[in-house]
Amino acid sequence: AGAFADSATTTGIVLGGATAVTGAAPAGVDEVSALASANTAASAADLLTTEARAQVEQIVFGSALLAAAGVYEVTDISGGVRFV
């Protein structure tokens, strides 16, 4: 359960900074500044997409671990009953 809370916290932190990294204003009025700003925003959007996918994978992995833990617990319980 802690991994899910950590994942949600990380997602909140990353999304909290999304506007700052994707909405950077150009440093000047020239074309190069506008292109640099657009490239930075595109790279930041790509990073945010990658982060979102990573968080989904972490949740899937955590769910699989919880399911495996449940199987072990049931096995332990049934084994304990059998040998008592």
Side-chain angles (χ1 to χ4, degrees):
F4 295 115
D6 291 346
S7 181
T9 300
T10 300
T11 300
I13 291 168
V14 170
L15 292 178
T19 303
V21 294
T22 58
V29 295
D30 57 300
E31 183 179 348
V32 173
S33 293
L35 288 173
S37 180
N39 285 338
T40 300
S43 293
D46 184 52
L47 173 68
L48 292 171
T49 300
T50 302
E51 172 61 24
R53 288 179 181 160
Q55 294 305 315
V56 168
E57 289 298 321
Q58 184 178 12
I59 290 169
V60 169
F61 180 68
S63 297
L65 287 177
L66 286 174
V71 170
Y72 277 102
E73 185 175 0
V74 168
T75 303
D76 287 346
I77 291 170
S78 65
V81 170
R82 195 174 334 157
F83 294 114
V84 170

